[in-house]
Amino acid sequence: MSLRDPNRRHEFVLLFDVTNGNPNGDPDAGNLPRIDPETGCGLVTDVCLKRKIRNYVADTSGQALFIQSRSSLNALIGEAGAKLGVGQDKRPNEAVRDQMCRDYYDIRMFGAVLSTGDLNAGQVRGPAQMSFARSLDPIFPLDLTITRGARTTQERMETGETEMGRKPIVPYGLYRGHGYFNPFLAEQTGVTEGDLGLFWEALAHMFEFDRSATRGEMAVQQLCAFTHENKKGNASAHHLFSCVNAHRVDDSRSPRAFSDYRIE
């Protein structure tokens, strides 16, 4: 299937939405949903979307991941060096770099900086890259006050004092992001048809196993992929992206569901 062919260029448009949730909180703004202050449109970072893909891959495929919480990055680089009998080396070691690509799915797909420890494995440019996602219309974040019956201290238990909290949400937002797959870089990192097939699967289902009360209801509503005939491609990415358009069905009221848009 051509969509799984790592020797072809691919681009894609990703449309996903959120209902009564926070798709990507900003720690510099009290974890409120990220927003473009000039336009009021919501933002979701590429790092956040890649995290969803990594989570899906980890949960469903058993593939090893470099970016994870169980081991430090430098320790994993050291383990790859130990396999090859390489110790400390301040010069970029291509053999260790190639071993890391073989060992870890997310390095093959997204790349990584592997020069942070005593063993320098250089850097890997990943073939799969994504843009920030931006909401099609301005969002209006709500910062809701919540209470809880459980108390954190014995003093509050005895006084019956109610503890308060905050829960920021977006009532509704439809977000659009763009992505790219570079076959020249895929050849360098060793991406296989299985790797690319898993990537498309993760993109389409990345919210299915990532449910939480904070994120409300999130869903991938549309994934439009463009597959070229060869490595160089048949058209520029920005011209292909312009072929996918979303329009409000009724401009007189605020959108509150995906059915309020028409995709062409």
Side-chain angles (χ1 to χ4, degrees):
M1 184 176 177
S2 60
L3 197 61
R4 295 162 54 97
D5 188 351
N7 296 308
R8 298 179 184 228
R9 205 183 97 193
H10 307 276
E11 278 92 30
F12 62 88
V13 176
L14 179 69
L15 293 170
F16 63 92
D17 62 1
V18 58
T19 303
N20 296 329
N22 185 356
N24 187 200
D26 186 350
D28 289 330
N31 207 43
L32 288 169
R34 296 181 190 271
I35 194 168
D36 180 341
E38 290 189 327
T39 65
C41 292
L43 298 172
V44 173
T45 67
D46 60 319
V47 176
C48 175
L49 296 175
K50 287 178 181 178
R51 178 74 268 161
K52 308 300 182 193
I53 293 172
R54 285 188 175 96
N55 289 346
Y56 181 90
V57 169
D59 290 341
T60 64
S61 73
Q63 292 267 10
L65 296 174
F66 179 60
I67 305 296
Q68 39 90 358
S69 59
R70 293 185 298 274
S71 301
S72 69
L73 304 185
N74 290 345
L76 296 178
I77 297 172
E79 289 176 7
K83 289 182 181 180
L84 302 175
V86 178
Q88 295 185 9
D89 190 352
K90 291 300 183 182
R91 295 171 299 178
N93 189 304
E94 292 188 4
V96 178
R97 171 192 177 278
D98 293 342
Q99 183 66 46
M100 296 291 288
C101 288
R102 289 191 293 270
D103 288 347
Y104 298 105
Y105 175 85
D106 52 344
I107 294 182
R108 291 195 298 276
M109 295 301 295
F110 301 137
V113 176
L114 306 175
S115 56
T116 55
D118 294 328
L119 176 56
N120 183 353
Q123 298 185 15
V124 179
R125 289 183 61 196
Q129 299 300 330
M130 305 175 69
S131 69
F132 274 40
R134 175 182 291 268
S135 67
L136 302 186
D137 289 292
I139 60 171
F140 298 93
L142 302 177
D143 192 16
L144 307 178
T145 302
I146 58 175
T147 62
R148 64 180 179 186
R151 313 294 197 272
T152 55
T153 65
Q154 186 61 33
E155 291 77 9
R156 288 180 172 174
M157 286 289 296
E158 294 171 354
T159 62
E161 180 182 353
T162 300
E163 293 193 2
M164 314 292 284
R166 313 294 300 180
K167 189 168 187 178
I169 67 166
V170 176
Y172 183 79
L174 178 62
Y175 290 74
R176 173 176 177 151
H178 296 162
Y180 315 83
F181 182 82
N182 183 331
F184 296 100
L185 296 178
E187 187 176 17
Q188 296 176 22
T189 63
V191 173
T192 66
E193 287 190 6
D195 290 337
L196 190 51
L198 180 57
F199 176 72
W200 295 122
E201 179 185 331
L203 266 180
H205 303 287
M206 60 184 173
F207 300 121
E208 297 304 321
F209 301 104
D210 193 60
R211 305 296 182 185
S212 77
T214 300
R215 281 184 283 277
E217 295 183 36
M218 297 189 67
V220 173
Q221 295 289 0
Q222 196 106 21
L223 176 59
C224 305
F226 299 92
T227 295
H228 299 258
E229 294 177 336
N230 50 53
K231 286 185 176 182
K232 289 186 176 181
N234 305 92
S236 61
H238 66 279
H239 283 140
L240 295 176
F241 294 151
S242 68
C243 297
V244 180
N245 296 289
H247 305 281
R248 290 259 296 276
V249 175
D250 185 357
D251 289 331
S252 66
R253 59 187 180 88
S254 298
R256 285 296 181 268
F258 182 63
S259 58
D260 291 334
Y261 289 90
R262 182 176 66 256
I263 312 299
E264 297 176 345

